[in-house]
Amino acid sequence: MRIVFRMPSKGPEHGNVFNAVRKMVLASGLPFEPAKVNKNWPRLAYGPAPAFGQTAEREYLDIYLRTSVSAEETRAGLEAAKPKGLELVSVERVPYALPSVQNLAAVAKYRVEGDFALYAPEETAEDFFSAARVEVVRRADSGLTLAADAKPYVRGAETLSERAVRLTVAGVDGKWIKPQTLIAAWLGLDIPVQDELFTVEGFTFIREGLFWQDSAGKLYLI
């Protein structure tokens, strides 16, 4: 059963979300398939979780059940057991053999909100990200700079308002680039070589959804 949910912005940290949803499934009364590492835990596939400095309007959880349960029954059990603030967006049955969201996701869309004018970028987001090369320059503590072309990761950019931009980012060979890194490149900000804990202060980065792609290149919201 595939669950799409939304956590409150002040809910559990990303590292604790899995524990929160596992407790929810345990308390739901659903006939879950046991996990291999612990037969008392449910077998779940959570994620991919939003990275550091991001929130998500859609998070994903696959629950493996031992017996057939309708989507309506599953939702009722989870609604009764969900942690405070968690919102169930959708509950649907998917084929057992269907890849997990982690393996299915090909593209992510992010909404970035903040005062872009404060940095007076020389180009619009559309022009910067539609260029033949999207250069990302990372700076090490030693002062050494490393430049790379992030164009393969960029599917597009759209200015929604003076304070909001949408980025469409693709995974490349199983790797992803953070929207914080792309926005920093556009605004001319320093980007560290190790950017796992890097974000752009004063901006919010919201993952609107993950998408799978068919053989013709058409995207479908997961």
Side-chain angles (χ1 to χ4, degrees):
M1 198 71 69
R2 178 154 295 162
I3 316 301
V4 180
F5 66 95
R6 182 183 297 114
M7 291 293 294
S9 58
K10 294 184 179 180
E13 294 296 325
H14 296 326
N16 295 325
V17 171
F18 180 75
N19 290 334
V21 296
R22 181 170 60 194
K23 290 178 181 178
M24 174 179 68
V25 176
L26 284 169
S28 69
L30 292 170
F32 58 81
E33 183 177 314
K36 292 181 180 179
V37 295
N38 187 329
K39 66 179 182 181
N40 295 316
W41 289 350
R43 181 185 173 192
L44 307 173
Y46 164 62
F52 175 82
Q54 302 171 12
T55 60
E57 292 182 343
R58 298 172 69 87
E59 292 204 58
Y60 304 89
L61 178 74
D62 286 351
I63 304 174
Y64 295 83
L65 302 176
R66 287 184 287 104
T67 60
S68 178
V69 180
S70 70
E72 292 76 13
E73 291 176 293
T74 300
R75 183 168 195 136
L78 295 175
E79 286 281 5
K82 68 183 183 181
K84 183 178 180 180
L86 184 145
E87 176 188 349
L88 293 175
V89 177
S90 67
V91 177
E92 63 177 335
R93 183 183 300 279
V94 295
Y96 188 87
L98 191 71
S100 67
V101 176
Q102 187 88 38
N103 293 320
L104 193 61
V107 167
K109 291 194 176 187
Y110 297 91
R111 188 172 70 256
V112 185
E113 299 175 349
D115 189 0
F116 301 102
L118 183 65
Y119 297 92
E122 296 180 357
E123 299 177 90
T124 65
E126 288 87 344
D127 287 344
F128 181 83
F129 290 110
S130 65
R133 178 179 173 88
V134 176
E135 188 165 273
V136 171
V137 179
R138 303 175 190 270
R139 299 183 186 279
D141 292 339
S142 63
L144 180 69
T145 60
L146 302 172
D149 183 14
K151 184 65 176 181
Y153 294 95
V154 179
R155 286 290 185 89
E158 176 187 4
T159 298
L160 303 176
S161 71
E162 290 184 355
R163 297 181 62 89
V165 166
R166 175 175 291 123
L167 287 180
T168 303
V169 181
V172 179
D173 296 329
K175 296 180 180 180
W176 296 81
I177 191 169
K178 292 175 63 174
Q180 291 99 314
T181 300
L182 294 173
I183 290 294
W186 171 43
L187 299 180
L189 303 177
D190 284 346
I191 304 166
V193 172
Q194 301 296 330
D195 68 354
E196 291 84 359
L197 300 180
F198 170 71
T199 192
V200 182
E201 297 298 330
F203 288 78
T204 57
F205 294 82
I206 305 155
R207 192 180 71 191
E208 296 180 320
L210 297 172
F211 297 76
W212 66 275
Q213 180 176 273
D214 67 16
S215 58
K218 187 174 180 180
L219 300 178
Y220 300 86
L221 180 65
I222 301 175

